Amino acid sequence: MKPIVAALLFLLAACKPAPEAAPEASAPAPASPAAGPTGTPAATSAPPTVRYVWFGNHVPRAQILSIEGVDTASATLTGRTTAQDNYDYCIGYAGPDDTEVLARCAAEKVEQPVETMTADCLARTVSDGSSARWVRDEPGEGGKIAPVWQDVASGEIRDYSGAGGGYVLTAAFRLMCPAASVAIQPDPR
């Protein structure tokens, strides 16, 4: 054991930090454009990534404002359609040569109210104003499934097709409940 202890002491003695060099008496380095007033780099951060969701069929996208309570029984997703997204959506349906529709789109270029969806990730339910429950799985792409939703009050089925509106519910559920969404096929949008 003594040779091992001696070797460790030798290694520790050899690992002394180097003495600090004396500061040079030179002019301070010029500040870079991103530097603060003392010449040190200013904190820069990348702009936040903007994420979008749809709160219905045939509506403009909405910018996600918050997702709270992820993977819980009370998850909430809020979003708002900006005036520009509302305008772009309107123009997309009209085409750039229809002056009457262009005027209408310009008049409707307003920010929309905040919209909210909620989910119970444990019970596999989501609400977009109605209360929809995940009632069964349909075969999807790549071995994944496509949830089929049913409105609890009316019994109406909202499948994964664009007309059925289930993909809107699924996309929102996926954002609020990622753990419960592992087996869901990718969003078709």
Side-chain angles (χ1 to χ4, degrees), residues 20-29:
E20 287 190 30
E24 292 182 27
S26 64

Side-chain angles (χ1 to χ4, degrees), residues 57-74:
N57 293 330
H58 308 294
V59 297
R61 67 186 186 175
Q63 182 176 344
I64 295 174
L65 300 175
S66 69
I67 304 172
E68 297 173 357
V70 173
D71 285 327
T72 68
S74 56

Side-chain angles (χ1 to χ4, degrees), residues 4-153:
I4 293 174
V5 173
L8 288 174
L9 288 173
F10 177 75
L11 288 173
L12 285 173
C15 293
K16 287 186 203 174
E20 287 190 30
E24 292 182 27
S26 64
S32 67
T38 62
T40 58
T44 58
S45 61
T49 303
V50 178
R51 296 181 357 179
Y52 295 91
V53 69
W54 282 263
F55 282 96
N57 293 330
H58 308 294
V59 297
R61 67 186 186 175
Q63 182 176 344
I64 295 174
L65 300 175
S66 69
I67 304 172
E68 297 173 357
V70 173
D71 285 327
T72 68
S74 56
T76 304
L77 167 69
T78 59
R80 173 180 281 155
T81 299
T82 66
Q84 187 62 48
D85 283 329
N86 201 33
Y87 179 77
D88 292 345
Y89 179 80
C90 184
I91 294 298
Y93 267 97
D97 298 329
D98 189 336
T99 56
E100 183 179 314
V101 174
L102 288 172
R104 181 178 56 88
C105 291
E108 293 174 0
K109 188 175 179 179
V110 294
E111 188 169 279
Q112 300 299 304
V114 172
E115 296 184 72
T116 301
M117 288 181 131
T118 59
D120 179 340
C121 302
L122 309 178
R124 295 191 343 173
T125 62
V126 66
S127 176
D128 62 349
S130 66
S131 184
R133 179 171 42 98
W134 185 340
V135 291
R136 67 176 186 270
D137 301 333
E138 295 289 331
E141 296 175 17
K144 300 281 189 169
I145 56 162
V148 175
W149 301 92
Q150 181 179 33
D151 185 290
V152 173

